[in-house]
């Protein structure tokens, strides 16, 4: 085929209808806005014949279409072409308007039947086609459009025949629009959203805009219509949620204003919707209306005059089995998970979502930053290394103005009636230039009721001082460190939004609590959007049907960005990551604080009174056992207010006494079952510190020298201390060996994604864990001395941790006291090399035999916890098997540690090994070694070690957000240089 609109920057569409707001009409007297079971709609989803051509020039409408492809879908998900994941780089040469000659093309064909009558016009709609499409009906060219994530509509009436018709669509993988669509995702192609024909009367309302304003006790609902200037008679009814008529009117003009007394306003917590029924003689349009205002007062973001916080996430359309295709069920599943995790805002990064998505957000209550289909940061690296000089190439290039403007126009026009949309966003990372200004102009003209967002603060050198961001309504930043974020909050003149922060890649994000604290501390801080909602990956299955997730580079791509797409709060199958549980509690609806013996609750919701939303359930535990519980229902607490909780607690003396308040969904909610816990606060009410009590034994203990060390024996045990290793290499209890390998000192961890720069995995890392050789540390021991009494053997072993090429990382005086009971007191006097900024961890690891499968611990659980990531965890006594402690990241890495542990016990059928300390420690028990985790690139490549690896850490560095943001905060790194780590290691025969 030799059409060439896709390489012409001035032509972004041919024969499309003018853009309009999204709605689905129905026949008069009907009451649906659905595409299904609606006689006004002929849904063309389903099986289409499909022919794949490696290049558009080879493609032919007449060719063999013997394959079948579902619509909507992405053809890469069905074995055509291949997957490629790149973040910001262009997967094609940067040579606009040209795209590669080898431009994969899919020819889609199907037939359908229509009955033609004089009165009906047919409009063909494509809601999403990547990257562009040429449409043919019965062999005739109908039109062309690009902009993958926006709707293209064609009046196809003149092309139709009565009876059967054949539609053919040529979809191209690349077009000049590709230069504007460098979003960080798998680059997939095809018809990935609904295709349908609307059957409409000759005279109908084409476009309408509903705007609401509130004056005192009354809401004004103003309508603006476009009916092709036909002055149609339009009758409008507005019904409340109970179906009662609250306003109505009729007009032949293009405007109408109705009023509603005492309106119920829409907000994300109470998403009250009215129904609009718009009748013309031959058609009906049913839509919903949410009455709300959005404004900024000074730097405070207001909805309905009330300040709100955006507890947001960035969401891509990405599913491991359907690619970009998001069914209604999939969208609802995402929203349900978000609701249950206290997320109230979504940025549609970085393109408009399917139209239904916004209806769901209206219905279930989410604030949306609706973003244009635009991201051009590929220009950044178009001249070599990432170079700011090139960043805004396209926003300066007048040839791109048409396309840039077209994209925002499609965005605003389509979604203009959705109350969930609070803020328009031009796009992401495209630089600032004359085209940006032209686009802003168009957006402002189309809608003056929403705020305008655009993050791109990276000005190319020639633009410094030339452009002003005053033109935008919010201040928006990405990934600032905490200090910068606070400074921005102190200085912002407009509402401050972190459109991206807390990069949720792998084990993380750390320090979410600190960011949320800032959101609440500063009234101008409107909140932030975690990057990002879901891991992007492609699923395949092993022989037993287990999922295996693939990412960039797994498809033979030359250019790719590896696992940088696996950076979500949920796994590809929507299982929550521990990071999501962390976010959930940071965004909890209530904060309880303690003042002496009183507890104060603060309602962190923006609209709902606590008594309408939640019950506060409290439990008092001692050592993990429930002592008392109660609940506080009907606690009237207006949003943003604080009051003392009515509470009478029994007095419990002793250690490990914890009081926990849980915020429990009271009534059944469409997305949150009644009884769901939406967060908690916990307080340590202990009157005593926990102490370590060693079992008393009157049995003698003896030590005798061996070839490699010392054998220490008691009545029911024998341990062997290895003087070369500085640790025990054998631990026999009641005749059974508990150790699979000698114990070791450990200062390293399998790097997390957030460690990649620090660890030296990223190519641009300088002084790194790798260059320091932290991963290769082993013990070099000096002279061991042994002291014996009747009840105790003391082994004193000075040593250093060394590695080839490196100066010793630390020196340790290790003192082990073995008692007749078998208890071992370990005391490590440690000095860390002063120039080492921090260590990934410091501790010891034991290799227990693999039958040590059961774990009980008193610490932060029930899921993994770290110094800067334990807001979603609480202190209690937890039981888990070793496999259950494992957090199976797609890209293997450090996981499953438990922060602030006081005691943990690993046991098999015969023996229980308890480790406890008066100084809380971190522990991890795993079937995998850190070496294995570090060596493998995919979860499904992991080989079990054949033992239970037990790490007991004095400290473990936090996880931070360093994969695309600040590394672990100083206070959460293992920075101590001189310290004593003491703990008791207590193997006991099980009775
Ligand atoms: C930032 C992008 O906006 C986002 O799309 C995604 O790529 C994210 O990073 C990384 O996962 S861009 C970055 C250079 C700040």
């Amino acid at each position: 085929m030799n059409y060439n609109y896709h390489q012409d920057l001035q032509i972004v569409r041919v024969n499309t209808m003018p853009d309009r707001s999204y709605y689905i009409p129905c026949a008069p007297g009907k009451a649906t806005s659905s595409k299904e079971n609606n006689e006004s709609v002929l849904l063309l989803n389903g099986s289409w014949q499909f022919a794949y051509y490696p290049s558009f020039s080879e493609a032919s409408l007449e060719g063999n279409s013997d394959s079948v492809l579902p619509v909507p879908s992405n053809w890469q998900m069905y074995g055509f072409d291949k997957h490629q994941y790149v973040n910001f780089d262009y997967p094609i040469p940067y040579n606009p308007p040209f795209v590669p000659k080898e431009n994969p093309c899919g020819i889609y064909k199907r037939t359908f039947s229509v009955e033609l009558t004089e009165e009906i016009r047919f409009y063909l709609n494509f809601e999403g086609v990547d990257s562009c499409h040429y449409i043919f009906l019965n062999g005739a060219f109908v039109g062309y459009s690009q902009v993958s994530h926006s709707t293209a509509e064609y009046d196809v009436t003149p092309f139709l025949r009565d009876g059967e018709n054949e539609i053919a669509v040529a979809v191209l993988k690349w077009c000049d629009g590709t230069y504007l669509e460098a979003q960080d995702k798998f680059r997939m192609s095809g018809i990935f959203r609904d295709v349908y024909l609307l059957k409409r009367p000759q005279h109908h309302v084409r476009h309408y805009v509903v705007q609401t304003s509130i004056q005192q006790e009354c809401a004004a609902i103003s309508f603006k219509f476009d009916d092709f200037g036909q002055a149609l008679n339009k009758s409008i009814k507005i019904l409340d949620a109970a179906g009662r008529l609250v306003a109505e009117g009729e007009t032949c003009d293009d405007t109408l204003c109705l009023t509603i007394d005492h309106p119920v306003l829409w907000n994300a917590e109470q998403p009250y919707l009215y129904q609009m029924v718009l009748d013309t003689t031959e058609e009906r349009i049913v839509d919903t209306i949410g009455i709300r205002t959005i404004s900024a007062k000074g730097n405070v973001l207001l909805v309905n005059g009330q300040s709100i916080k955006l507890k947001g996430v960035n969401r891509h359309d990405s599913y491991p089995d359907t690619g970009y295709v998001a069914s209604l069920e999939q969208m609802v599943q995402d929203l349900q998970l978000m609701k249950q995790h206290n997320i109230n805002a979504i940025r549609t990064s970085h393109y408009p979502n399917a139209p239904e998505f916004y209806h769901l957000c209206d219905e279930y209550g989410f604030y949306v930053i609706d973003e244009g289909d635009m991201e051009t940061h590929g220009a950044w690296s178009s001249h070599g290394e990432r170079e700011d000089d090139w960043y805004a190439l396209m926003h300066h290039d007048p040839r791109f103005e048409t396309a840039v403007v077209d994209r925002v126009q499609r965005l605003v026009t389509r979604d203009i009636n959705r109350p969930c949309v609070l803020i328009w966003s031009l796009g992401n990372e495209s630089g600032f230039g004359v085209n940006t200004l032209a686009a802003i102009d168009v957006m402002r003209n189309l809608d003056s009721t929403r705020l305008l967002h655009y993050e791109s603060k990276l000005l190319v050198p020639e633009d410094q001082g030339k452009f002003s961001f005053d033109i935008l309504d919010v201040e928006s930043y990405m990934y600032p460190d905490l200090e910068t974020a606070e400074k921005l909050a102190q200085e912002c003149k407009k509402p401050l939004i972190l459109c991206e922060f807390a990069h949720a890649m792998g084990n993380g994000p750390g320090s979410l609590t600190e960011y949320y604290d800032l959101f609440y501390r500063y009234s101008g801080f409107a909140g932030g959007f975690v990057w990002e909602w879901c891991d992007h990956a492609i699923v395949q299955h092993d022989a037993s049907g287990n999922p295996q997730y693939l990412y960039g580079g797994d498809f033979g791509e030359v250019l790719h960005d590896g696992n940088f797409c696996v950076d979500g709060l949920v796994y590809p199958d929507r299982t929550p990551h521990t990071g999501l549980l962390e976010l959930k509690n940071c965004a909890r609806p209530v904060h309880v604080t303690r003042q002496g013996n009183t507890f104060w609750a603060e309602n962190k919701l923006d609209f709902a009174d606590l008594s309408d939303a939640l019950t506060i359930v409290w439990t008092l535990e001692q050592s993990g056992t429930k002592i008392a519980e109660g609940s506080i229902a009907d606690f009237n607490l207006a949003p943003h207010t604080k009051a003392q909780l009515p509470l009478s607690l029994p007095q419990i003396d002793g250690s490990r006494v914890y009081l926990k308040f849980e915020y429990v969904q009271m009534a059944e909610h469409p997305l949150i079952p009644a009884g769901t816990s939406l967060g908690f606060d916990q307080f340590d009410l202990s009157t005593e510190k926990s102490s370590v009590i060693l079992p008393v034994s009157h049995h003698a203990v003896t030590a005798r020298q061996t070839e490699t060390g010392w054998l220490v024996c008691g009545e029911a045990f024998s341990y062997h201390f290895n003087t070369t290793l500085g640790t025990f290499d054998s631990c026999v209890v009641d005749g059974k060996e508990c150790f699979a390998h000698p114990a070791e000192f450990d200062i390293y961890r399998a790097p997390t994604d957030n460690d990649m720069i620090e660890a030296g995995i990223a190519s641009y890392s300088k002084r790194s864990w790798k260059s320091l050789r932290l991963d290769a540390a082993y013990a070099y021991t000096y002279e061991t001395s042994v002291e014996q009494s009747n009840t105790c053997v003391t082994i004193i072993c000075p040593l250093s941790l060394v590695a080839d090429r490196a100066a010793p990382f630390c020196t340790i005086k290790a003192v082990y006291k073995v008692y007749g009971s078998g208890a071992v007191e370990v005391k490590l006097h440690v000095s860390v090399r002063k120039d080492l900024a921090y260590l990934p961890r410091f501790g010891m690891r034991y290799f227990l035999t693999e039958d040590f499968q059961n774990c009980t611990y008193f610490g932060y659980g029930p899921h993994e916890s770290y110094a800067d990531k334990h807001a979603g965890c609480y202190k209690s006594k937890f039981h888990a098997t070793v496999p259950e402690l494992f957090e199976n990241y797609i890209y293997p890495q450090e996981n499953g540690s438990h922060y602030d542990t006081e005691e943990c016990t690993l046991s098999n059928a015969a023996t229980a090994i308890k480790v406890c300390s008066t100084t809380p420690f971190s522990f991890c028990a795993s079937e995998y070694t850190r070496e294995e985790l570090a060596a493998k690139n995919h979860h499904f490549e992991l080989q079990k070690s054949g033992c239970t690896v037990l790490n007991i850490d004095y400290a473990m560095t936090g996880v931070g957000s360093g994969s695309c943001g600040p590394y672990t905060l100083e206070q959460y790194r293992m920075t101590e240089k001189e310290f004593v780590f003491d703990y008791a290691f207590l193997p006991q025969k099980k009775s």
Side-chain angles (χ1 to χ4, degrees):
M1 269 192 271
N2 55 10
Y3 291 89
N4 203 28
Y5 297 132
H6 64 281
Q7 296 190 108
D8 183 338
L9 287 168
Q10 296 322 306
I11 298 181
V12 289
R13 43 165 102 208
V14 175
N15 289 341
T16 59
M17 294 295 294
D19 297 325
R20 63 171 173 85
S21 55
Y22 171 80
Y23 57 84
I24 297 289
C26 64
K30 295 287 161 57
T32 180
S33 54
S34 162
K35 292 170 188 161
E36 266 147 26
N37 302 320
N38 182 343
E39 59 203 80
S40 296
V41 185
L42 179 61
L43 200 50
L44 296 176
N45 291 352
S47 292
W48 289 52
Q49 285 172 282
F50 182 73
Y52 173 77
Y53 297 92
S55 76
F56 184 44
S57 54
E58 288 168 59
S60 152
L61 293 182
E62 278 74 48
N64 244 343
S65 310
D66 42 13
S67 302
V68 165
L69 199 67
V71 167
S73 71
N74 295 108
W75 68 57
Q76 285 86 354
M77 299 300 292
Y78 289 83
F80 298 100
D81 189 11
K82 62 176 192 167
H83 284 297
Q84 180 175 18
Y85 161 62
V86 269
N87 174 4
F88 57 81
D89 285 338
Y90 285 119
I92 59 171
Y94 181 76
N95 186 24
F98 305 105
V99 294
K101 293 204 161 61
E102 299 245 315
N103 186 4
C105 170
I107 302 287
Y108 293 71
K109 278 195 218 169
R110 67 164 283 166
T111 56
F112 59 89
S113 288
V114 289
E115 207 181 302
L116 293 187
T117 65
E118 288 273 298
E119 296 80 42
I120 303 287
R121 296 203 76 82
F122 292 84
Y123 295 91
L124 179 60
N125 278 262
F126 286 84
E127 289 185 352
V129 182
D130 202 316
S131 70
C132 68
H133 59 260
Y134 289 90
I135 315 257
F136 303 86
L137 260 174
N138 301 318
F141 173 67
V142 173
Y144 164 84
S145 183
Q146 50 179 251
V147 191
S148 299
H149 297 83
S150 290
T151 304
E153 183 174 45
Y154 303 87
D155 179 354
V156 293
T157 321
F159 298 91
L160 290 175
R161 301 196 278 247
D162 197 39
E164 188 164 275
N165 289 267
E166 186 187 64
I167 178 172
V169 188
V171 177
L172 272 62
K173 180 165 180 174
W174 315 121
C175 70
D176 49 40
T178 301
Y179 293 103
L180 295 156
E181 293 177 16
Q183 289 100 342
D184 177 8
K185 60 179 170 52
F186 275 94
R187 308 296 169 101
M188 297 190 208
S189 325
I191 306 176
F192 66 93
R193 287 185 186 156
D194 291 344
V195 183
Y196 51 93
L197 267 178
L198 293 182
K199 299 182 228 171
R200 310 197 63 185
Q202 291 287 355
H203 302 299
H204 59 262
V205 172
R206 164 115 214 105
H207 175 53
Y208 58 89
V209 177
V210 186
Q211 288 180 341
T212 64
S213 59
I214 307 157
Q215 284 115 23
Q216 274 115 35
E217 300 293 289
C218 182
I221 323 282
S222 71
F223 297 87
K224 215 162 174 272
F225 305 103
D226 177 359
D227 54 13
F228 296 118
Q230 289 153 345
L232 283 182
N233 186 37
K234 298 166 281 277
S235 131
I236 292 222
K237 288 191 177 57
I238 300 180
L239 312 174
D240 68 11
R244 284 180 302 246
L245 184 67
V246 289
E248 64 181 323
E250 241 183 83
T251 186
C252 293
D253 294 341
D254 56 8
T255 57
L256 177 72
C257 189
L258 300 178
T259 53
I260 299 178
D261 285 336
H262 304 290
V264 183
L265 306 186
W266 182 96
N267 62 64
E269 289 161 23
Q270 297 148 332
Y272 191 93
L273 292 174
Y274 290 89
Q275 193 180 51
M276 173 200 91
V277 182
L278 164 58
D279 283 319
T280 52
T281 342
E282 298 161 288
E283 193 181 66
R284 170 172 278 185
I285 296 171
V286 180
D287 202 345
T288 47
I289 296 176
I291 303 174
R292 57 114 189 84
T293 58
I294 161 81
S295 57
K297 190 170 173 203
N299 64 7
V300 182
L301 182 69
L302 305 175
V303 164
N304 304 333
Q306 169 79 328
S307 77
I308 61 156
K309 297 291 175 197
L310 300 169
K311 302 162 191 171
V313 292
N314 283 279
R315 181 185 171 280
H316 262 286
D317 281 332
S318 174
Y319 296 90
D321 45 356
T322 62
Y324 296 174
V325 180
S327 67
L328 268 184
E329 294 71 30
Q330 285 167 312
M331 293 185 230
V332 171
Q333 187 192 12
D334 277 354
L335 295 178
Q336 172 153 34
L337 276 167
M338 288 179 194
K339 263 282 172 221
Q340 294 182 356
H341 292 84
N342 299 323
I343 290 160
N344 72 354
I346 299 161
R347 174 176 180 230
T348 66
S349 53
H350 305 297
Y351 42 76
N353 285 194
E356 282 90 347
F357 185 76
Y358 302 82
H359 278 272
L360 295 172
C361 290
D362 287 349
E363 182 183 344
Y364 294 122
F366 286 92
Y367 302 122
V368 174
I369 296 188
D370 199 6
E371 195 148 88
D373 200 347
M374 187 155 61
E375 178 146 42
T376 70
H377 53 181
W380 220 352
S381 49
S382 59
H383 290 65
E385 284 286 281
R386 225 201 255 188
E387 190 61 73
D388 291 356
D389 289 5
W390 309 109
Y391 188 66
L393 220 49
M394 268 160 283
H395 273 240
H396 283 179
D397 184 342
R399 293 180 303 158
F400 276 99
E401 181 180 333
T402 308
V404 168
V405 167
D406 176 62
R407 282 165 189 263
V408 298
Q409 181 178 307
R410 292 192 200 220
L411 164 82
V412 175
T413 314
R414 194 195 70 172
D415 297 338
I416 194 154
N417 293 330
R418 303 289 38 102
C420 63
V421 176
L422 297 190
I423 298 175
W424 300 117
S425 174
L426 268 87
N428 191 55
E429 297 198 328
S430 299
F432 215 90
V434 284
N435 297 339
T436 327
L437 297 180
I440 290 175
D441 217 34
V442 167
M443 291 171 105
R444 292 276 190 214
N445 281 331
L446 286 170
D447 182 20
S448 58
T449 67
R450 270 108 168 171
L451 304 183
L452 196 61
H453 165 275
Y454 183 49
E455 181 275 340
S456 223
K457 291 286 185 302
L458 180 60
L459 287 178
V460 302
E462 64 169 285
D463 287 345
Q464 306 282 347
K466 192 158 115 193
F467 292 110
S468 148
F469 296 117
D470 290 350
I471 199 159
L472 302 167
D473 297 319
V474 294
E475 290 189 23
S476 180
Y477 294 87
M478 280 184 186
Y479 309 104
D481 59 36
L482 213 57
E483 218 176 299
T484 312
E486 178 149 27
K487 196 155 180 286
L488 291 168
Q490 284 160 347
E491 292 171 0
C492 64
K493 302 270 178 300
K494 303 173 198 167
L496 173 67
I497 289 175
L498 302 186
C499 65
E500 294 177 26
F501 81 112
H503 201 248
M505 190 175 185
N507 192 349
S511 285
L512 263 178
T513 310
E514 282 84 353
Y515 283 91
Y516 263 78
D517 284 350
L518 287 186
F519 297 167
Y520 288 120
R521 191 170 321 141
Y522 293 95
S523 57
F525 220 143
F529 294 76
V530 170
W531 186 269
E532 67 175 308
W533 173 243
C534 67
D535 288 342
H536 305 222
I538 307 293
V539 70
Q540 67 178 19
H541 292 93
D542 69 9
S544 328
N546 301 313
Q548 302 185 323
Y549 292 112
L550 304 176
Y551 49 74
D554 290 337
F555 306 92
E557 313 105 292
V558 175
L559 264 190
H560 68 84
D561 284 299
N563 68 324
F564 210 60
C565 53
V566 184
D567 58 356
L569 290 163
V570 293
Y571 286 92
D573 69 354
R574 272 50 188 175
T575 303
H577 276 287
T578 54
L580 180 60
L581 304 175
E582 184 80 0
L583 176 62
K584 173 180 179 174
N585 214 35
C586 291
R588 66 196 180 280
V590 182
H591 286 190
V592 170
T593 46
R594 180 183 181 184
Q595 272 173 17
N597 288 331
T598 58
F599 292 88
W600 293 72
E602 185 176 356
N603 182 355
K604 290 290 185 187
L605 296 171
D606 299 320
F607 295 96
D609 192 286
L610 207 63
S611 58
D612 293 331
L614 301 158
T615 301
I616 300 180
V617 174
W618 60 267
T619 40
L620 190 61
E621 283 186 358
Q622 185 160 35
S623 297
T625 304
K626 201 189 287 173
I627 305 282
E629 63 187 322
S631 71
I632 307 165
D634 300 322
F635 186 62
N636 294 314
L637 193 59
H640 302 184
T641 64
K642 202 170 168 176
Q644 190 181 333
L645 282 173
L647 197 65
S648 82
L649 296 172
Q651 175 63 37
I652 309 288
D653 292 323
S655 63
R656 295 185 186 168
V657 180
Y658 283 91
L659 173 65
K660 187 171 166 219
F661 295 96
E662 275 192 273
Y663 316 122
V664 178
Q665 173 71 26
M666 211 165 61
E668 204 61 43
H669 176 283
L671 297 182
I672 315 172
T676 305
S677 171
L678 292 173
F680 61 86
D681 280 290
Q682 195 189 35
F683 299 89
D684 183 355
L685 303 190
S686 310
T687 52
E688 283 165 28
K689 241 183 132 241
S690 327
S691 51
V692 172
I693 300 162
L694 296 182
V696 188
S697 159
H698 303 293
H699 295 295
V701 56
T702 59
R704 86 177 150 78
Q705 201 155 11
T706 67
E707 257 176 42
T708 53
W710 290 82
L711 190 66
V712 185
C713 297
E715 194 202 34
F717 68 88
S718 65
Y719 306 152
H720 187 262
F721 183 79
N722 185 312
T723 43
T724 306
L725 302 174
T727 58
F728 289 92
D729 59 12
S730 165
C731 168
V732 176
V733 179
D734 199 30
K736 294 186 189 68
E737 176 61 79
C738 298
F739 283 9
H741 305 288
E744 291 176 354
F745 294 90
D746 205 1
I747 57 170
Y748 198 68
R749 71 180 180 206
T752 65
D753 287 309
N754 286 318
D755 291 333
M756 66 169 84
I757 298 169
E758 297 284 308
I761 291 163
S763 50
Y764 43 94
S765 311
K766 291 219 172 65
R767 184 183 154 96
S768 63
W769 299 358
K770 200 163 148 193
S771 67
L772 291 165
R773 307 218 71 227
L774 297 182
D775 56 334
Y778 64 93
Y780 181 88
T781 49
Y782 307 103
E783 202 60 34
T784 299
S785 56
V786 175
E787 293 162 10
Q788 300 199 43
S789 75
N790 209 14
T791 52
C792 178
V793 168
T794 304
I795 301 171
I796 301 162
C797 180
L799 61 105
S800 300
L801 295 186
V802 298
D804 298 350
R805 192 183 75 197
F809 303 116
C810 46
T811 55
I812 301 170
K813 185 177 138 200
V815 181
Y816 303 92
K817 283 180 189 282
V818 185
Y819 294 95
S821 60
V824 185
E825 267 184 323
V826 182
K827 200 166 204 167
L828 309 174
H829 304 258
V830 187
S831 303
V832 180
R833 211 173 86 199
K834 299 283 179 295
D835 64 300
L836 291 175
Y838 70 99
L839 296 175
R841 62 155 33 112
F842 180 89
M844 292 191 76
R845 69 170 162 170
Y846 296 91
F847 300 88
L848 309 180
T849 54
E850 68 179 328
D851 50 0
F852 280 88
Q853 282 285 299
N854 287 304
C855 179
T856 302
Y857 62 98
F858 190 86
Y860 273 103
H863 48 268
E864 62 185 6
S865 55
Y866 292 82
D868 60 350
K869 184 187 165 193
H870 63 272
C873 292
Y874 51 94
K875 268 194 124 169
S876 189
K877 189 171 189 169
F878 299 98
H879 306 273
T881 62
V882 171
E884 284 166 355
L885 292 170
F886 185 63
E887 190 56 41
N888 197 6
Y889 289 104
I890 290 176
Y891 180 80
Q893 53 196 280
E894 155 62 31
N895 71 85
S897 284
H898 289 274
Y899 170 71
D900 213 21
T901 301
E902 293 174 28
E903 169 183 326
C904 72
T905 303
L906 270 293
S907 60
N908 61 15
T911 313
I913 296 178
K914 179 157 124 182
V915 178
C916 52
S917 173
T918 45
T919 321
F921 55 94
S922 168
F923 90 96
C924 177
S926 176
E927 297 174 289
Y928 303 97
T929 61
R930 63 166 169 74
E931 289 82 354
E932 176 68 6
L933 295 171
K936 298 294 165 66
N937 293 326
H938 296 88
H939 62 108
F940 53 84
E941 295 166 24
L942 288 176
Q943 303 278 328
K944 292 184 184 169
S945 62
C947 51
T948 293
V949 186
L950 172 65
N951 273 88
I952 303 293
D953 294 319
Y954 173 72
M956 155 71 77
T957 284
V959 287
S961 207
S963 47
C964 185
Y967 190 62
T968 311
L969 295 176
E970 181 80 18
Q971 65 265 36
Y972 300 125
R973 301 183 200 174
M974 166 55 214
T975 53
E976 276 180 76
K977 297 288 174 267
E978 303 284 337
F979 57 92
V980 177
F981 182 25
D982 56 354
Y983 62 91
F985 184 85
L986 311 167
Q988 298 255 285
K989 182 181 167 219
K990 278 168 92 175
S991 41

